[in-house]
Amino acid sequence: MQQLQPTILVAPPSMLRMLAVQQAESKLTIAPRKVISVAEVLDPLDEEFIGRQFRQTVHQVYQCTEGLLGTTCEHGTLHLNEDLLYIKREYVTADRKKFMPIVTDLFRSSQPNINYRLNDILTLREDPCPCGSPLTAISQIEGRSDDIFKFLSSSGEEKVSIFPGFIRQSIYSSSDRIDEYKVLQHPSHDLEVQIQVDGNAPIQEDAITASLARTIRSHGGVIPNIYFKPYEPHQGVTKLKRIERL
């Protein structure tokens, strides 16, 4: 990589972060003119770190077996490719801000996709994008609907669903020294939290626990057992998922 001095980096965010760490430690000195995240959910924590180290806006390509669903504009906003696809929305929240896309490809003939429902959760951008594109703007790809956390309701009558974005926000708001994290929900509803912090800073377990508890309580859920384990680095064999319901 050092010899090649690439002008464009395209990789999953877990790999881009590995390169950004090398750049921060001066083991790598490259100056790409464009950085593109693919294949995994781009967590805001990674987006900020990668962008800061390479001094670039981190762009995204939203693509899967079903086709090229979206790309970012010059402002870094993800827009759906509605000039090539007809995308209906299955809203999953009452405020109609989060939805699962139902895709019909208008041009593909070798493998037609007609009303194909994906289990990705997309969050609509609330304010218009400065680029002026009429294509739907997305503020965040939340992840898969399989990774919505489920908790017992305080009323005991039903389960409470909490989207990954709320769990992310709980982690971010608890500390500004977090470098890496994972939150895993086990079938028992218990939460396993893995944290890696900047330098020798202490892991603020009480603050993180309190932040997660506030989020769960605000949704009407029963707070489960929340415990901490050492951060397990991503090995690259599977996609990095920072928030996962097992």
Side-chain angles (χ1 to χ4, degrees), residues 161-183:
S161 299
I162 299 183
F163 290 94
F166 291 107
I167 303 298
R168 285 190 192 96
Q169 188 58 41
S170 297
I171 297 296
Y172 299 152
S173 62
S174 62
S175 172
D176 60 357
R177 303 297 297 274
I178 294 174
D179 272 350
E180 302 269 15
Y181 78 93
K182 291 180 187 176
V183 184

mmCIF file of all heavy atoms in Angstrom, residues 161-183:
data_model
loop_
_atom_site.group_PDB
_atom_site.id
_atom_site.type_symbol
_atom_site.label_atom_id
_atom_site.label_comp_id
_atom_site.label_asym_id
_atom_site.label_seq_id
_atom_site.Cartn_x
_atom_site.Cartn_y
_atom_site.Cartn_z
ATOM 1 N N SER A 161 -39.150 -3.323 21.330
ATOM 2 C CA SER A 161 -38.101 -3.325 20.304
ATOM 3 C C SER A 161 -37.308 -2.027 20.377
ATOM 4 O O SER A 161 -37.891 -0.946 20.482
ATOM 5 C CB SER A 161 -38.723 -3.465 18.910
ATOM 6 O OG SER A 161 -39.423 -4.678 18.790
ATOM 7 N N ILE A 162 -35.976 -2.150 20.311
ATOM 8 C CA ILE A 162 -35.110 -0.968 20.296
ATOM 9 C C ILE A 162 -34.157 -1.093 19.110
ATOM 10 O O ILE A 162 -33.429 -2.076 18.985
ATOM 11 C CB ILE A 162 -34.325 -0.828 21.611
ATOM 12 C CG1 ILE A 162 -35.291 -0.672 22.791
ATOM 13 C CG2 ILE A 162 -33.382 0.375 21.546
ATOM 14 C CD1 ILE A 162 -34.619 -0.461 24.129
ATOM 15 N N PHE A 163 -34.164 -0.073 18.244
ATOM 16 C CA PHE A 163 -33.359 -0.117 17.027
ATOM 17 C C PHE A 163 -31.878 0.102 17.348
ATOM 18 O O PHE A 163 -31.530 0.747 18.347
ATOM 19 C CB PHE A 163 -33.841 0.949 16.045
ATOM 20 C CG PHE A 163 -35.177 0.639 15.450
ATOM 21 C CD1 PHE A 163 -36.347 1.137 16.013
ATOM 22 C CD2 PHE A 163 -35.286 -0.176 14.335
ATOM 23 C CE1 PHE A 163 -37.583 0.843 15.470
ATOM 24 C CE2 PHE A 163 -36.522 -0.476 13.780
ATOM 25 C CZ PHE A 163 -37.672 0.035 14.353
ATOM 26 N N PRO A 164 -30.991 -0.442 16.498
ATOM 27 C CA PRO A 164 -29.549 -0.321 16.741
ATOM 28 C C PRO A 164 -29.073 1.108 16.953
ATOM 29 O O PRO A 164 -28.160 1.351 17.739
ATOM 30 C CB PRO A 164 -28.933 -0.932 15.477
ATOM 31 C CG PRO A 164 -29.945 -1.915 15.006
ATOM 32 C CD PRO A 164 -31.278 -1.294 15.319
ATOM 33 N N GLY A 165 -29.690 2.095 16.269
ATOM 34 C CA GLY A 165 -29.254 3.477 16.406
ATOM 35 C C GLY A 165 -29.352 3.987 17.829
ATOM 36 O O GLY A 165 -28.511 4.774 18.277
ATOM 37 N N PHE A 166 -30.370 3.557 18.563
ATOM 38 C CA PHE A 166 -30.515 3.988 19.954
ATOM 39 C C PHE A 166 -29.427 3.375 20.833
ATOM 40 O O PHE A 166 -28.939 4.012 21.776
ATOM 41 C CB PHE A 166 -31.891 3.600 20.485
ATOM 42 C CG PHE A 166 -33.020 4.377 19.865
ATOM 43 C CD1 PHE A 166 -33.879 3.770 18.954
ATOM 44 C CD2 PHE A 166 -33.228 5.709 20.177
ATOM 45 C CE1 PHE A 166 -34.913 4.476 18.375
ATOM 46 C CE2 PHE A 166 -34.259 6.436 19.606
ATOM 47 C CZ PHE A 166 -35.109 5.815 18.695
ATOM 48 N N ILE A 167 -29.042 2.135 20.515
ATOM 49 C CA ILE A 167 -27.968 1.480 21.277
ATOM 50 C C ILE A 167 -26.645 2.183 20.994
ATOM 51 O O ILE A 167 -25.848 2.448 21.909
ATOM 52 C CB ILE A 167 -27.882 -0.017 20.924
ATOM 53 C CG1 ILE A 167 -29.230 -0.723 21.177
ATOM 54 C CG2 ILE A 167 -26.763 -0.687 21.699
ATOM 55 C CD1 ILE A 167 -29.683 -0.692 22.615
ATOM 56 N N ARG A 168 -26.400 2.523 19.719
ATOM 57 C CA ARG A 168 -25.182 3.267 19.366
ATOM 58 C C ARG A 168 -25.108 4.575 20.148
ATOM 59 O O ARG A 168 -24.075 4.917 20.713
ATOM 60 C CB ARG A 168 -25.171 3.591 17.871
ATOM 61 C CG ARG A 168 -24.865 2.437 16.961
ATOM 62 C CD ARG A 168 -24.637 2.906 15.538
ATOM 63 N NE ARG A 168 -24.623 1.773 14.643
ATOM 64 C CZ ARG A 168 -25.684 1.360 13.956
ATOM 65 N NH1 ARG A 168 -26.820 2.018 14.034
ATOM 66 N NH2 ARG A 168 -25.604 0.302 13.175
ATOM 67 N N GLN A 169 -26.220 5.316 20.149
ATOM 68 C CA GLN A 169 -26.234 6.613 20.811
ATOM 69 C C GLN A 169 -25.976 6.468 22.305
ATOM 70 O O GLN A 169 -25.316 7.317 22.919
ATOM 71 C CB GLN A 169 -27.574 7.312 20.566
ATOM 72 C CG GLN A 169 -27.630 8.750 21.059
ATOM 73 C CD GLN A 169 -26.565 9.624 20.433
ATOM 74 O OE1 GLN A 169 -26.293 9.512 19.237
ATOM 75 N NE2 GLN A 169 -25.936 10.479 21.223
ATOM 76 N N SER A 170 -26.466 5.389 22.892
ATOM 77 C CA SER A 170 -26.227 5.143 24.321
ATOM 78 C C SER A 170 -24.740 4.967 24.595
ATOM 79 O O SER A 170 -24.222 5.457 25.603
ATOM 80 C CB SER A 170 -26.987 3.888 24.780
ATOM 81 O OG SER A 170 -28.370 4.055 24.640
ATOM 82 N N ILE A 171 -24.049 4.277 23.702
ATOM 83 C CA ILE A 171 -22.610 4.059 23.876
ATOM 84 C C ILE A 171 -21.858 5.370 23.697
ATOM 85 O O ILE A 171 -21.021 5.754 24.515
ATOM 86 C CB ILE A 171 -22.108 2.999 22.880
ATOM 87 C CG1 ILE A 171 -22.770 1.631 23.133
ATOM 88 C CG2 ILE A 171 -20.588 2.871 22.956
ATOM 89 C CD1 ILE A 171 -22.437 1.008 24.476
ATOM 90 N N TYR A 172 -22.170 6.115 22.619
ATOM 91 C CA TYR A 172 -21.439 7.355 22.343
ATOM 92 C C TYR A 172 -21.610 8.381 23.454
ATOM 93 O O TYR A 172 -20.665 9.089 23.820
ATOM 94 C CB TYR A 172 -21.923 7.988 21.031
ATOM 95 C CG TYR A 172 -21.742 7.138 19.811
ATOM 96 C CD1 TYR A 172 -22.596 7.269 18.721
ATOM 97 C CD2 TYR A 172 -20.729 6.187 19.738
ATOM 98 C CE1 TYR A 172 -22.446 6.480 17.593
ATOM 99 C CE2 TYR A 172 -20.580 5.402 18.614
ATOM 100 C CZ TYR A 172 -21.440 5.551 17.550
ATOM 101 O OH TYR A 172 -21.282 4.780 16.445
ATOM 102 N N SER A 173 -22.826 8.489 23.976
ATOM 103 C CA SER A 173 -23.112 9.530 24.959
ATOM 104 C C SER A 173 -22.494 9.233 26.322
ATOM 105 O O SER A 173 -22.433 10.121 27.176
ATOM 106 C CB SER A 173 -24.626 9.707 25.111
ATOM 107 O OG SER A 173 -25.224 8.522 25.595
ATOM 108 N N SER A 174 -22.021 8.018 26.529
ATOM 109 C CA SER A 174 -21.485 7.640 27.835
ATOM 110 C C SER A 174 -20.002 7.981 27.989
ATOM 111 O O SER A 174 -19.501 8.127 29.097
ATOM 112 C CB SER A 174 -21.681 6.139 28.085
ATOM 113 O OG SER A 174 -20.979 5.385 27.113
ATOM 114 N N SER A 175 -19.285 8.113 26.867
ATOM 115 C CA SER A 175 -17.852 8.389 26.937
ATOM 116 C C SER A 175 -17.359 8.880 25.580
ATOM 117 O O SER A 175 -17.860 8.452 24.538
ATOM 118 C CB SER A 175 -17.086 7.123 27.340
ATOM 119 O OG SER A 175 -15.688 7.333 27.238
ATOM 120 N N ASP A 176 -16.378 9.774 25.600
ATOM 121 C CA ASP A 176 -15.771 10.242 24.346
ATOM 122 C C ASP A 176 -14.400 9.613 24.122
ATOM 123 O O ASP A 176 -13.633 10.063 23.276
ATOM 124 C CB ASP A 176 -15.670 11.764 24.335
ATOM 125 C CG ASP A 176 -14.816 12.300 25.482
ATOM 126 O OD1 ASP A 176 -14.357 11.483 26.315
ATOM 127 O OD2 ASP A 176 -14.619 13.525 25.547
ATOM 128 N N ARG A 177 -14.083 8.571 24.901
ATOM 129 C CA ARG A 177 -12.771 7.920 24.777
ATOM 130 C C ARG A 177 -12.859 6.537 24.154
ATOM 131 O O ARG A 177 -11.894 5.785 24.171
ATOM 132 C CB ARG A 177 -12.124 7.809 26.174
ATOM 133 C CG ARG A 177 -11.944 9.120 26.915
ATOM 134 C CD ARG A 177 -10.999 10.071 26.200
ATOM 135 N NE ARG A 177 -9.656 9.546 26.086
ATOM 136 C CZ ARG A 177 -8.723 9.684 27.031
ATOM 137 N NH1 ARG A 177 -9.006 10.321 28.160
ATOM 138 N NH2 ARG A 177 -7.510 9.192 26.859
ATOM 139 N N ILE A 178 -14.029 6.185 23.610
ATOM 140 C CA ILE A 178 -14.225 4.835 23.077
ATOM 141 C C ILE A 178 -13.642 4.732 21.674
ATOM 142 O O ILE A 178 -13.992 5.505 20.782
ATOM 143 C CB ILE A 178 -15.719 4.468 23.083
ATOM 144 C CG1 ILE A 178 -16.222 4.383 24.531
ATOM 145 C CG2 ILE A 178 -15.966 3.152 22.361
ATOM 146 C CD1 ILE A 178 -17.716 4.180 24.649
ATOM 147 N N ASP A 179 -12.750 3.759 21.482
ATOM 148 C CA ASP A 179 -12.158 3.492 20.167
ATOM 149 C C ASP A 179 -12.918 2.388 19.429
ATOM 150 O O ASP A 179 -13.124 2.463 18.218
ATOM 151 C CB ASP A 179 -10.698 3.065 20.317
ATOM 152 C CG ASP A 179 -9.756 4.261 20.338
ATOM 153 O OD1 ASP A 179 -10.224 5.385 20.051
ATOM 154 O OD2 ASP A 179 -8.573 4.082 20.658
ATOM 155 N N GLU A 180 -13.265 1.336 20.137
ATOM 156 C CA GLU A 180 -13.939 0.181 19.554
ATOM 157 C C GLU A 180 -15.012 -0.288 20.525
ATOM 158 O O GLU A 180 -14.858 -0.163 21.746
ATOM 159 C CB GLU A 180 -12.958 -0.975 19.310
ATOM 160 C CG GLU A 180 -11.777 -0.644 18.404
ATOM 161 C CD GLU A 180 -12.059 -0.939 16.951
ATOM 162 O OE1 GLU A 180 -13.251 -1.129 16.610
ATOM 163 O OE2 GLU A 180 -11.110 -0.980 16.164
ATOM 164 N N TYR A 181 -16.083 -0.861 19.979
ATOM 165 C CA TYR A 181 -17.101 -1.418 20.868
ATOM 166 C C TYR A 181 -17.927 -2.464 20.132
ATOM 167 O O TYR A 181 -17.992 -2.494 18.893
ATOM 168 C CB TYR A 181 -18.024 -0.307 21.395
ATOM 169 C CG TYR A 181 -19.065 0.143 20.396
ATOM 170 C CD1 TYR A 181 -20.336 -0.430 20.372
ATOM 171 C CD2 TYR A 181 -18.785 1.128 19.454
ATOM 172 C CE1 TYR A 181 -21.279 -0.036 19.446
ATOM 173 C CE2 TYR A 181 -19.717 1.532 18.535
ATOM 174 C CZ TYR A 181 -20.978 0.942 18.528
ATOM 175 O OH TYR A 181 -21.904 1.321 17.594
ATOM 176 N N LYS A 182 -18.548 -3.326 20.909
ATOM 177 C CA LYS A 182 -19.582 -4.243 20.429
ATOM 178 C C LYS A 182 -20.619 -4.375 21.537
ATOM 179 O O LYS A 182 -20.265 -4.370 22.724
ATOM 180 C CB LYS A 182 -19.013 -5.630 20.110
ATOM 181 C CG LYS A 182 -18.089 -5.701 18.909
ATOM 182 C CD LYS A 182 -17.596 -7.123 18.704
ATOM 183 C CE LYS A 182 -16.538 -7.213 17.617
ATOM 184 N NZ LYS A 182 -15.987 -8.587 17.491
ATOM 185 N N VAL A 183 -21.867 -4.475 21.147
ATOM 186 C CA VAL A 183 -22.936 -4.784 22.094
ATOM 187 C C VAL A 183 -23.701 -5.976 21.530
ATOM 188 O O VAL A 183 -24.244 -5.910 20.422
ATOM 189 C CB VAL A 183 -23.892 -3.586 22.297
ATOM 190 C CG1 VAL A 183 -24.942 -3.934 23.368
ATOM 191 C CG2 VAL A 183 -23.127 -2.331 22.704
#
